[in-house]
Amino acid sequence: MAILTISAICLSNLSIRSYGFSFSSISSIRRSRIYSIEDGSTAEEAEAIRLDRLNAADEVASQLNKNIEECVMSCVDDDNDTPNFSNEKEQERTALKKQLYKLSASYDRGFGATPTARDEAEDIISQLAAVNPTHNPARGIDGDGTAGEDDIPLKGIWRMIWTSAYDVVSLGASPISTTSAIYQDISYPPAAINIIDFIPKSQSILPASLSPPSLLRAEVATRASSRNVSTNDRVGLIFEGLKLQPIELLGQKVDNLPPLSIDFTWQRTLVEKLIELVPGLDKSSFGFSDEGSEEVSPDAPGYFDIPYVDNELLVIRQQSTPVQGTGGVFALIKVDSCKP
């Protein structure tokens, strides 16, 4: 259907002069054949002339077909065989992403953002959501094999470039440390690891000669799952553990030291047992599945929504809470590694 439509458009745009030349040439060929016979040519000569004219007519028709083919190809994108006008949304996405990147750089990933800057970012993200190229962005996050390895939109390592989430922005208020890189590592779904690198406050201000580098990495392990909503754009999270790993201390590598680890799974087991003992409490309202059921309430605690994702940029909106209000948004870009 698309090819037929494109062909129709191209035919309507072909030069009338080209058509006129082609058809007038064919008519001339026919007239020449008649004149040749009337002028007393022999049958052999007339047949030779007729064949020459037919060959010439074939050449004209071939050239006409070639013109039509070139016109069709000019209306089609070489990469994905889609009309060029479909690139308008891609151009809009590119322009919006550039605006967001500039805003992120200007306001230190949101840590120094003004209310006006946050409103501007919200507006950009709303426009991006309207042109989101990815349908069912949470597909495959469960790691159950229902989606192919290359068909999991969230899979990969993502580095944060913008946030308005209070729980993250407030980390910048510490007089002792400041946040370095922040990652979301979803290399092996359903595992989703939140990574925050901390460095001394002085290190972000003073030259390296006066403040030898130090780095502490915090990793929050979670297990992700798609929530049962019609658009499949909500991801549930269950916290499973916390690890604090010193990476560098005053310029010396110390990543061989044992980390400080806290396991949250025992708390989950305890909470599940307590829910069973209290009449009227529903497991699903706490993010747990009832026995024999994989269904989890879409509004159960611990989740984020995905208004936008492509192969370069991920935007998530975390769950609202009484303390954090709207919860805030995160914008992250895909990177190859989260090495410190």
Side-chain angles (χ1 to χ4, degrees), residues 71-139:
C71 182
V72 170
M73 294 304 297
S74 70
C75 294
V76 174
D77 185 90
D78 292 336
D79 294 331
N80 55 15
D81 291 341
T82 55
N84 287 334
F85 50 76
S86 68
N87 289 334
E88 292 180 2
K89 282 191 175 182
E90 182 59 35
Q91 293 172 0
E92 182 180 357
R93 284 191 285 265
T94 300
L96 289 169
K97 287 192 288 187
K98 286 182 178 179
Q99 293 179 37
L100 185 58
Y101 297 158
K102 290 179 181 179
L103 197 69
S104 303
S106 300
Y107 291 95
D108 187 18
R109 299 173 295 170
F111 288 100
T114 63
T116 301
R118 283 192 287 270
D119 289 343
E120 185 177 349
E122 281 287 343
D123 182 59
I124 294 172
I125 289 170
S126 295
Q127 294 181 65
L128 278 171
V131 291
N132 183 14
T134 306
H135 300 287
N136 302 325
R139 66 179 181 271

Side-chain angles (χ1 to χ4, degrees), residues 108-109 111 168-182 196-205 214-216:
D108 187 18
R109 299 173 295 170
F111 288 100
V168 175
V169 173
S170 61
L171 296 175
S174 171
I176 301 173
S177 65
T178 188
T179 54
S180 182
I182 298 176
I196 304 177
D197 289 338
F198 294 95
I199 61 175
K201 199 81 164 183
S202 59
Q203 187 173 314
S204 64
I205 302 172
S214 299
L215 189 146
L216 174 67

